[in-house]
């Protein structure tokens, strides 16, 4: 896996802040309880000396060390039990002064027994989705709710679905296949791409989803908008660097010499780097060849796995039902 360093750092920082707050809140509750109920404060004062008492036991030498350590352990257990009883007598739960971690398994560290905790994986996934450009699409579009029954040839679309699922579930650093999905509006091109994108993110890889219009807008800003300001943000770097790039609505961007050159440079650079691209378009094969020059067309039809979805607009079919 290759989690985006910025995403990983951001998520880990948020978890560490959450952990520090849980500990600080626990310390505050402990201090409050100690002031309100002196008997608990006295027990806490004794327990706070445990480390010093252990060091003293060790300084006394190896002879009888195991017995002294066992006695300390037994005494601490009795003190903790007495403390729980005191808390209960005041109507407080036994863990009232314990840190209330969001994840009890890893105590908000993100790791448990040397392995990444599920809470950290989920947080990385959600942050990856948030930064990918997928927005809220994953909430409604996944492999599980992609229904082949809406299509003219369900069996053929089922084969496409199986390929896309295998592509996503086996995605790794060595994945180099590119996918081109064509078909009319409302036939699930975005649905399939969203399903792939979120699974790739879940596997720990960096995915960027964008429309062709937004992508070219960023290239135009890079070239014409920011001028000579060195501190201007680099809007296009992520399109080259991400593990998987998904371009939706390909062919809806304004066509001119600059946009064609930018698209060619992006596609060619990613292919040379072995970084996969998924392209969705409403254009047919002949329309793609007409719209784009030979440099782009030859890569689309020579280096991409081609799928065409056919049928009636699924959104309209659902409304009719």
């Amino acid at each position: 896996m290759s989690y985006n360093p910025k995403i990983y750092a951001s998520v880990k920082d948020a978890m560490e802040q959450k952990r520090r707050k849980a500990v600080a809140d626990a310390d505050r509750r402990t201090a409050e309880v100690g002031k309100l109920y002196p008997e608990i404060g006295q027990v806490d004062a004794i327990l706070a000396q445990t480390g010093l008492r252990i060091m003293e036991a060790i300084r006394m030498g190896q002879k009888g060390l195991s017995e002294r350590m066992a006695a300390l352990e037994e005494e601490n257990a009795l003190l903790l039990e007495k403390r729980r009883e005191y808390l209960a007598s005041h109507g407080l739960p036994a863990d009232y002064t314990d840190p209330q971690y969001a994840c009890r398994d890893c105590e908000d560290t993100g790791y448990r027994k040397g392995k990444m905790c599920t809470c950290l994986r989920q947080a990385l996934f959600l942050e990856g989705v948030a930064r990918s450009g997928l927005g809220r699409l994953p909430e409604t579009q996944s492999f599980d709710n992609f229904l082949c029954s809406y299509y003219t040839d369900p069996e053929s679309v089922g084969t496409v679905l199986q390929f896309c699922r295998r592509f996503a579930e086996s995605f790794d650093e060595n994945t180099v296949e590119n996918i081109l999905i064509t078909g009319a509006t409302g036939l699930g091109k975005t649905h399939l791409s969203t399903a792939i994108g979120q699974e790739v993110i879940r596997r720990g890889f960096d995915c960027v989803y964008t429309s062709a219009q937004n992508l070219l807008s960023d290239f135009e800003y890079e070239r014409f908008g920011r001028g000579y300001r060195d501190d201007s943000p680099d809007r296009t770097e992520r399109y080259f660097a991400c593990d998987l790039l998904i371009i939706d609505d390909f062919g809806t961007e304004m066509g001119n010499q600059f946009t064609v050159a930018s698209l060619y440079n992006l596609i060619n650079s990613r292919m040379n780097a072995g970084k996969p691209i998924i392209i969705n378009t409403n254009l047919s094969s002949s329309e793609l060849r007409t719209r784009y020059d030979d440099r782009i067309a030859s890569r689309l039809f020579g280096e991409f796995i081609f799928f065409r979805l056919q049928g009636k607009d699924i959104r309209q079919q659902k409304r009719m039902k």
Side-chain angles (χ1 to χ4, degrees), residues 132 208-212 214-215 218 238-239 245-249:
S132 70
V208 170
Y209 171 94
T210 186
S211 69
N214 288 339
L215 182 146
D218 285 340
R238 65 185 187 135
Y239 299 134
L245 174 64
I246 301 174
I247 306 175
D248 208 0
D249 294 327

Side-chain angles (χ1 to χ4, degrees), residues 9-304:
S10 174
V11 170
K12 279 290 290 174
D13 181 62
M15 291 187 70
E16 180 57 30
Q17 290 183 36
K18 193 183 301 182
R19 176 180 169 81
R20 286 198 296 265
K21 184 178 184 304
V23 172
D25 288 346
D27 290 343
R28 175 182 52 76
R29 291 193 299 272
T30 299
E32 290 174 352
V33 165
K35 290 180 180 179
L36 286 171
Y37 312 114
E39 68 275 22
I40 297 178
Q42 291 172 4
V43 171
D44 287 342
I46 298 173
L47 290 171
Q49 298 297 314
T50 299
L52 293 175
R53 297 174 71 192
I54 289 174
M55 292 178 62
E56 180 62 28
I58 293 173
R59 279 198 293 266
M60 292 174 66
Q62 290 296 316
K63 185 177 180 180
L65 177 60
S66 58
E67 290 80 4
R68 291 193 295 274
M69 295 298 290
L72 279 174
E73 184 177 349
E74 182 179 356
E75 183 179 343
N76 272 13
L78 291 172
L79 286 169
L80 289 171
E81 179 59 32
K82 184 178 292 186
R83 191 178 191 278
R84 284 190 287 269
E85 292 174 357
Y86 286 151
L87 286 170
S89 69
H90 296 295
L92 298 173
D95 64 350
Y96 179 73
T97 57
D98 295 342
Q100 302 301 309
Y101 298 113
C103 179
R104 294 183 179 275
D105 290 336
C106 70
E107 297 184 345
D108 294 345
T109 63
Y111 289 86
R112 184 170 181 266
K113 297 181 179 179
K115 295 184 178 180
M116 186 179 290
C117 185
T118 54
C119 72
L120 177 54
R121 290 185 187 279
Q122 181 65 7
L124 288 168
F125 168 70
L126 293 176
E127 185 67 14
V129 168
R131 297 195 185 202
S132 70
L134 284 168
R136 301 185 66 175
L137 289 174
E139 296 177 12
T140 58
Q141 299 181 352
S142 67
F143 287 124
D144 292 337
N145 62 16
F146 185 91
L147 302 179
C148 300
S149 57
Y150 285 107
Y151 294 86
T152 303
D153 186 352
E155 185 175 346
S156 175
V157 175
T159 300
V160 176
L161 175 62
Q162 290 175 11
F163 176 89
C164 291
R165 187 189 287 269
R166 285 197 301 270
F167 174 90
E169 293 178 349
S170 62
F171 191 96
D172 60 22
E173 296 87 350
N174 299 314
T175 299
V176 295
E177 291 86 2
N178 304 293
I179 301 174
L180 174 62
I181 307 176
T182 71
T185 299
L187 289 182
K189 301 184 297 296
T190 299
H191 190 142
L192 278 175
S193 298
T194 299
I196 293 173
Q198 63 179 301
E199 180 59 31
V200 166
I201 293 171
R202 196 183 303 279
R203 288 178 58 77
F205 294 93
D206 193 21
C207 173
V208 170
Y209 171 94
T210 186
S211 69
Q213 290 179 331
N214 288 339
L215 182 146
L216 267 303
S217 177
D218 285 340
F219 275 99
E220 288 172 353
Y221 173 83
E222 288 279 316
R223 176 64 178 83
F224 306 110
R226 71 176 183 179
Y228 297 100
R229 282 181 53 194
D230 292 335
D231 61 341
S232 297
D234 189 342
R235 295 189 180 187
T236 62
E237 190 275 335
R238 65 185 187 135
Y239 299 134
F240 293 93
C242 64
D243 297 308
L244 175 65
L245 174 64
I246 301 174
I247 306 175
D248 208 0
D249 294 327
F250 193 77
T252 60
E253 74 282 356
M254 184 172 293
N256 54 48
Q257 187 175 357
F258 173 75
T259 59
V260 170
S262 297
L263 284 173
Y264 172 76
N265 180 45
L266 175 61
I267 293 172
N268 193 59
S269 296
R270 287 191 62 87
M271 290 177 58
N272 289 340
K275 291 180 174 292
I277 310 172
I278 296 175
I279 292 178
N280 301 327
T281 181
N282 293 349
L283 301 181
S284 65
S285 300
S286 59
E287 289 171 330
L288 285 169
R289 292 183 186 278
T290 300
R291 180 176 178 82
Y292 298 101
D293 66 17
D294 291 340
R295 296 179 304 165
I296 292 179
S298 66
R299 279 157 179 75
L300 293 179
F301 295 104
E303 303 293 342
F304 282 69

